[in-house]
Amino acid sequence: MSSPHAVTDDGAIPAPQVPRSRIVIASMVGTSIEFFDFYIYATAAVLVFPRLFFPAGNDTTALLASFATFGLAFVARPIGSILFGHFGDRIGRKATLVGSLLTMGVATFAIGLLPTYAAAGLWAPALLAIMRFTQGVGLGGEWSGAALLATETAKPGKRAWAAMYPQLGAPIGFFFANGIFLLIVIATGYDSANSGTDHAFLTWGWRIPFLLSAIMVIIGLYVRLKLEETPVFKLAVERGQKVKTPLAQVFKTSWRQLIIGTFVMLATYTLFYIMTTWVVSYGTGKVADVNGPKLAIPYTDFLELQLIAVLFFAALIPVAGLLADKYGRRPTLIVITAAIVLFGLSFHWFADPSSASAGKMLVFMCVGLGLMGLTFGPMSAVLPELFPTNVRYTGSGISYNTASILGAAVAPFIATWLVSSYGVGWVGVYLAIAASLTLISLIIMKETRDRSLDSV
């Protein structure tokens, strides 16, 4: 008698019992919440934490210290991918997704309750660092689980399209995170250049987005608890293909894929955190170009520019999914990554302080985040397709999150140092170098579009 989850004659995995709409919502809503939590920290790392959680002194030093704390989450993310990947490959995708969401949500809510440096001294940045680390552990297990939920239930030939839904969580979370911060800044009348630390925004207003995350987590848990396990994982269990130690197995059998997957993601991470975190500090005058005056675009105006630009990010993710299904993952990403190299070499023209303006910065961010949508869209199909079922959660998670250390964790710090030491053009060169490494990895990588996920 055949297994109820057996592969059909055309090589397709049977459709899951849960309605497709519920899978789409669960993968997209969960990652939207996770990225919302992550991005409110990124915004506060520029706007709030340098003033409230670190000793008074040089503004650039405080900003760099805040970015260093911001980077802690990226160090934690591979740990989260190993921890949650172990359970995701051992006990299943559903339970692990619930655990990662709770981990992220509790840490984010706790940040909204932390005392500042004025109230608790060095305990304030220490507790902030611990909560940031915990956020990273949660997000380290979130993305790969959501990607597997989408890809392991997708129709044949439509995996990149199905996998783009969890990717949409990034711009959605970013839009709501910055949108809520913008509303609070406007409502409290906060001016980052002239307002003191006793201002309502710095006293209690910045805490609101962190505390609101609790409501979103409850909604996300409700949706995810109604899921079933993916048919691909069920089939692997029935065949007795689970391994006791997924981490050891993935390094033994798939170490090449780990390296390739990590560097395939490098340009994506570097581009995104330059265009969302570093650019805020540069555009609002938190850090000046060594070759010219500060841009000093008012913070509320700059947030409005970012919210417009992130729409290009969201709009081009589905386009990338369609292109990756039609032409293949490898050729699609090679063309997009080459465009990122050229974009990096254009930084001096776009963002030079002697000629930059709000309008020019808007075009700059729209191009950058548009390219981000194109490179990010296929990733939740590409990375899972590199690995066999019994180590897919662990392998895709380690690649994705190790790239976050090499690309995202250090990007705002390096970019801040480069612009204050050599000029904004060198920030673009840094991006172009990262993208060139991704190009090499894509040339080495084999096409994965037609690879069956029912494999070990």
Side-chain angles (χ1 to χ4, degrees), residues 10 40 55 69 83 130 137 148 170 173 245 264 328 333-334 350 383 417:
D10 62 358
I40 55 176
T69 308
L83 174 65
I130 292 170
V137 170
L148 266 57
T245 54
V264 163
L333 286 170
I334 284 175
F350 271 116
L383 296 188
W417 173 71

Side-chain angles (χ1 to χ4, degrees), residues 91-386:
I91 66 174
R93 312 334 190 186
K94 174 185 172 179
T96 309
L97 276 169
V98 171
S100 65
L101 183 62
L102 275 173
T103 301
M104 184 80 172
V106 169
T108 304
F109 183 80
I111 290 173
L113 301 175
L114 290 181
T116 64
Y117 183 83
L122 291 176
W123 278 106
L127 290 171
L128 182 66
I130 292 170
M131 291 302 103
R132 181 60 174 169
F133 188 88
T134 306
Q135 272 192 319
V137 170
L139 189 57
E142 162 62 28
W143 178 86
S144 49
L148 266 57
L149 176 64
T151 56
E152 291 185 345
T153 57
K155 295 179 180 179
K158 300 291 185 182
R159 276 205 302 260
W161 175 258
M164 69 91 184
Y165 285 105
Q167 304 301 79
L168 280 174
I172 290 172
F174 181 85
F175 185 86
F176 280 103
N178 276 15
I180 290 175
F181 259 114
L182 177 60
L183 291 175
I184 296 171
V185 165
I186 293 174
T188 59
Y190 178 67
D191 180 351
S192 59
N194 301 311
S195 299
T197 55
D198 59 346
H199 190 276
F201 176 76
L202 292 178
T203 302
W204 54 266
W206 69 271
R207 300 178 183 273
I208 293 175
F210 291 92
L211 300 178
L212 284 178
S213 67
I215 299 173
M216 302 178 69
V217 169
I218 291 171
I219 295 171
L221 286 173
Y222 173 79
V223 174
R224 287 190 169 178
L225 286 171
K226 289 184 171 292
L227 292 174
E228 292 183 3
E229 194 51 74
T230 70
V232 172
F233 184 79
K234 287 181 179 179
L235 185 58
V237 172
E238 290 177 3
R239 291 172 171 173
Q241 294 169 337
K242 290 195 300 182
V243 293
K244 290 184 178 180
T245 54
L247 178 63
Q249 183 72 9
V250 77
F251 276 101
K252 179 180 178 181
T253 63
S254 304
W255 61 269
R256 291 180 181 85
Q257 292 94 317
L258 286 173
I259 296 172
I260 290 173
T262 296
F263 282 95
V264 163
M265 274 296 302
L266 182 63
T268 304
Y269 266 124
T270 306
L271 173 65
F272 185 62
Y273 282 90
I274 285 176
M275 298 309 300
T276 58
T277 302
W278 168 79
V279 77
V280 176
S281 63
Y282 180 69
T284 58
K286 298 290 184 182
V287 60
D289 190 305
V290 69
N291 299 314
K294 292 183 179 181
L295 291 185
I297 299 172
Y299 181 73
T300 52
D301 293 347
F302 198 87
L303 266 186
E304 290 170 0
L305 298 181
Q306 269 201 315
L307 291 175
I308 294 171
V310 81
L311 297 178
F312 287 80
F313 179 18
L316 289 174
I317 286 176
V319 173
L322 290 171
L323 292 174
D325 275 335
K326 183 175 182 179
Y327 298 107
R329 286 53 161 145
R330 188 169 169 269
T332 298
L333 286 170
I334 284 175
V335 172
I336 294 166
T337 306
I340 294 172
V341 173
L342 295 176
F343 175 65
L345 298 178
S346 74
F347 268 42
H348 180 75
W349 183 84
F350 271 116
D352 183 84
S354 62
S355 61
S357 63
K360 206 170 183 181
M361 288 298 290
L362 175 61
V363 175
F364 175 59
M365 288 190 290
C366 287
V367 173
L369 287 176
L371 287 170
M372 177 63 198
L374 291 172
T375 184
F376 189 59
M379 288 302 174
S380 55
V382 173
L383 296 188
E385 288 168 351
L386 288 173

